[in-house]
């Protein structure tokens, strides 16, 4: 992980949070995000994908969105340093070319005896595709006056606001471009990161970066987060194209024409105060989530994918009314259109300045409408019991670009045409 510039004073949200973070820890966790936005609110990922085969680079949508979560990931936000629209176009051409090559694999081109090598060599002389996906997005700040794109901003794209229970640090928030690199192996991710950074130097500068991983299912089903609970049980089934079109993809007509085939992307960096969480009784933990820790089942069920019967428990005697799953996804006709696609990764950054464990969650979600889907879920989660054990500190809103359709196409072509 890359340490970022600056730090911010954290608001105290109760004794546990203040004690865990402390003044000295502020710089170590500086960033921006929200609480466990939709842990089971139509938001999680199925089991991690096996190593090897990729989703393919070309298509109407970018890879790395609806496909299974990979075991290793790096999420980066960039400030664009390109001088004008022509240089921005060249930058996106370069990102596309490198992503196309890296995801397919092959032998790097030799540059001559006196030149530096064209590749770092960390994956050997011939690069495996290794299932790598590269997913690119644009932030609201890209649509300022620098590149003449003011009138092309997606209608719902803005700077990510601070929600209730957030401790956002500007140094870990926002950005002109987002880039997520995912693969079965961390060396594949880091190799791609170095390659793209080398080839885009002068066009964009990393603003913040967080590396993450998806744990293997234990013993089965959905992977677990650092709090020990399965993270992503209630995701919509986006393997059904009709569901993906309803929940994830922006279609033609509702937005500027260039956006068709893209999706609104939310990234949240959430520190988990695991040392305090580990002192909480299992019964209380399960009531905060509304699920069994061992099986992932709702407290009124016996299997992970059982649907909770909230209507049969109107006073919350079995699943508390303020439990995470009940607030995030009340499962009513009124809230059904707030479903979103959740992608979650664990992170571990060692220790903070106070000697506390510094670990947490990279929450990523995709949807058609930021306000109707993600923001609605966040407002329902305000003040939930889990806020004493999580500290959202970074992230941002981005728009995942439409896919690259063929070898003549490139990321951002419709935006910059």
């Amino acid at each position: 992980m890359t340490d970022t510039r600056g730090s911010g004073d954290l608001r105290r949200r109760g004794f546990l949070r203040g004690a865990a973070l402390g003044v000295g820890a502020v710089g170590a966790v500086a960033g921006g995000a929200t609480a466990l936005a939709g842990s089971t609110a139509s938001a999680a990922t199925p089991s991690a994908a096996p190593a090897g085969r990729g989703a393919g680079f070309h298509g109407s949508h970018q890879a790395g969105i609806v496909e299974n979560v990979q075991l290793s990931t790096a999420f980066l936000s960039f400030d664009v340093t390109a001088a004008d629209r022509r240089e921005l176009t060249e930058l996106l051409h370069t990102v596309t070319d490198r992503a196309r090559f890296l995801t397919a694999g092959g032998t790097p081109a030799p540059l001559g005896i006196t030149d530096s090598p064209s590749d770092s060599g960390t994956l050997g002389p011939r690069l495996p595709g290794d299932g790598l996906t590269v997913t690119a997005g644009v932030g609201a700040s890209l649509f300022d006056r620098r590149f003449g794109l003011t009138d092309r901003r997606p209608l719902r794209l803005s700077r990510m606001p601070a929600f209730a229970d957030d401790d956002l640090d500007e140094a870990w928030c926002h950005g002109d471009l987002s880039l997520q690199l995912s693969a079965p192996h961390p060396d594949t991710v880091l190799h791609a990161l170095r390659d793209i950074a080398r080839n885009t130097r002068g066009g964009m500068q990393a603003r913040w970066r967080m590396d993450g991983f998806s744990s293997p299912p234990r013993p089965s089903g959905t992977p677990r987060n650092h709090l020990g609970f399965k993270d992503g049980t209630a995701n919509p089934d986006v393997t059904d194209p009709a569901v993906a079109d309803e929940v994830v993809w922006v279609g033609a007509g509702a937005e500027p024409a260039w956006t068709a085939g893209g999706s609104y992307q939310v990234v949240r960096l959430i520190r988990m105060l695991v040392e305090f969480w580990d002192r909480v009784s299992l019964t209380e933990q399960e009531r905060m989530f509304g699920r069994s820790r061992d099986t992932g089942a709702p407290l009124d069920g016996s299997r992970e994918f059982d649907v909770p019967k909230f209507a049969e428990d109107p006073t919350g005697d079995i699943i508390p009314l303020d439990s995470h799953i009940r607030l995030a996804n009340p499962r009513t006709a009124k809230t059904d259109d707030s479903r979103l696609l959740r992608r979650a990764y664990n992170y571990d950054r060692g220790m903070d300045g106070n000697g506390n464990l510094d670990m947490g969650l990279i929450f990523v979600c995709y949807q058609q409408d930021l306000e109707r889907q993600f923001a609605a879920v966040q407002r329902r989660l305000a003040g939930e019991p889990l806020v004493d054990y999580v500290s959202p500190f970074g992230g941002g809103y981005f728009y995942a670009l439409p896919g690259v359709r063929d070898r003549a196409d490139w990321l951002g072509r419709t935006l910059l045409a």
Side-chain angles (χ1 to χ4, degrees):
M1 251 74 53
T2 299
D3 290 330
T4 59
R5 321 164 295 277
S7 61
D9 292 330
L10 298 176
R11 296 195 322 273
R12 299 301 190 261
R13 294 196 302 273
F15 173 76
L16 291 178
R17 175 164 306 201
L21 294 178
V23 176
V26 172
V29 302
T34 38
L36 285 176
S39 258
T40 41
S42 70
T45 52
S47 59
R53 301 180 62 183
F57 183 70
H58 296 126
S60 57
H61 311 298
Q62 288 193 77
I65 297 177
V66 299
E67 291 76 22
N68 283 351
V69 164
Q70 304 244 42
L71 295 177
S72 183
T73 195
F75 200 99
L76 296 97
S77 169
F78 295 89
D79 294 324
V80 171
T81 55
D84 52 31
R85 189 160 174 160
R86 179 186 62 81
E87 289 190 5
L88 174 61
T89 300
E90 292 176 355
L91 171 66
L92 292 176
H93 269 288
T94 300
V95 172
T96 305
D97 291 343
R98 298 317 303 161
R100 181 184 285 117
F101 173 69
L102 293 167
T103 56
T107 302
L111 295 182
I113 297 176
T114 59
D115 289 323
S116 59
S118 62
D119 185 76
S120 65
T122 58
L123 296 183
R126 180 175 176 81
L127 307 183
D130 196 30
L132 175 71
T133 58
V134 179
T135 309
V138 292
S141 55
L142 190 73
F143 297 87
D144 57 19
R145 298 182 182 276
R146 288 173 293 167
F147 308 112
L149 299 174
T150 305
D151 62 347
R152 313 212 76 186
R153 180 176 59 84
L155 298 181
R156 295 163 180 81
L157 185 62
S158 64
R159 284 168 60 90
M160 184 179 69
F163 290 90
D165 311 312
D166 280 6
D167 286 318
L168 300 185
D169 182 335
E170 192 72 12
W172 280 95
C173 291
H174 318 305
D176 294 331
L177 296 176
S178 69
L179 199 64
Q180 183 173 12
L181 310 171
S182 299
H185 303 104
D187 59 343
T188 301
V189 170
L190 296 180
H191 173 272
L193 189 159
R194 286 178 63 178
D195 183 284
I196 293 173
R198 168 180 175 162
N199 285 281
T200 59
R201 191 170 183 83
M204 62 184 187
Q205 175 66 44
R207 179 179 178 87
W208 51 266
R209 165 190 164 198
M210 186 68 79
D211 294 351
F213 62 93
S214 179
S215 301
R218 299 189 187 278
S220 61
T222 307
R224 297 177 186 270
N225 60 36
H226 286 309
L227 300 185
F229 283 75
K230 296 187 175 188
D231 201 315
T233 297
N235 254 340
D237 181 13
V238 293
T239 61
D240 182 342
V243 174
D245 287 342
E246 178 185 355
V247 175
V248 178
W249 305 123
V250 172
E255 294 270 1
W258 74 264
T259 63
S263 183
Y264 284 98
Q265 177 193 64
V266 177
V267 185
R268 307 285 282 175
L269 308 179
I270 305 168
R271 185 173 180 185
M272 294 176 165
L273 310 181
V274 295
E275 289 161 315
F276 285 93
W277 178 256
D278 291 344
R279 301 172 192 171
V280 177
S281 72
L282 179 59
T283 298
E284 186 177 351
Q285 290 182 2
E286 292 181 334
R287 288 180 64 80
M288 278 190 266
F289 271 103
R291 290 186 177 272
S292 162
R293 190 178 72 172
D294 287 354
T295 66
L299 295 181
D300 62 359
S302 58
R303 294 170 296 186
E304 177 183 353
F305 297 103
D306 286 349
V307 177
K309 304 178 185 66
F310 296 147
E312 299 177 13
D313 181 28
T315 58
D317 293 331
I318 302 173
I319 301 179
L321 298 179
D322 61 357
S323 65
H324 189 73
I325 68 169
R326 197 154 189 164
L327 293 173
N329 186 5
R331 298 181 183 274
T332 66
K334 186 177 180 180
T335 60
D336 186 59
D337 65 352
S338 64
R339 292 183 304 156
L340 47 78
L341 175 64
R342 174 192 180 94
R343 297 306 192 209
Y345 304 85
N346 298 318
Y347 76 78
D348 175 18
R349 299 195 298 167
M351 313 292 285
D352 67 16
N354 287 341
N356 296 314
L357 296 173
D358 186 353
M359 57 180 60
L361 188 76
I362 307 172
F363 167 88
V364 184
C365 70
Y366 294 93
Q367 56 265 291
Q368 291 180 337
D369 187 324
L370 286 170
E371 180 62 25
R372 172 171 57 84
Q373 293 169 277
F374 173 74
V377 172
Q378 281 304 110
R379 286 192 293 269
R380 291 198 297 266
L381 289 170
E384 66 169 326
L386 275 174
V387 300
D388 280 331
Y389 304 95
V390 297
S391 180
F393 67 91
Y397 284 174
F398 302 94
Y399 191 81
L401 295 167
V404 177
R405 293 179 179 270
D406 52 40
R407 294 197 65 83
D409 200 5
W410 46 279
L411 288 164
R413 175 187 58 80
T414 55
L415 167 62
L416 292 167

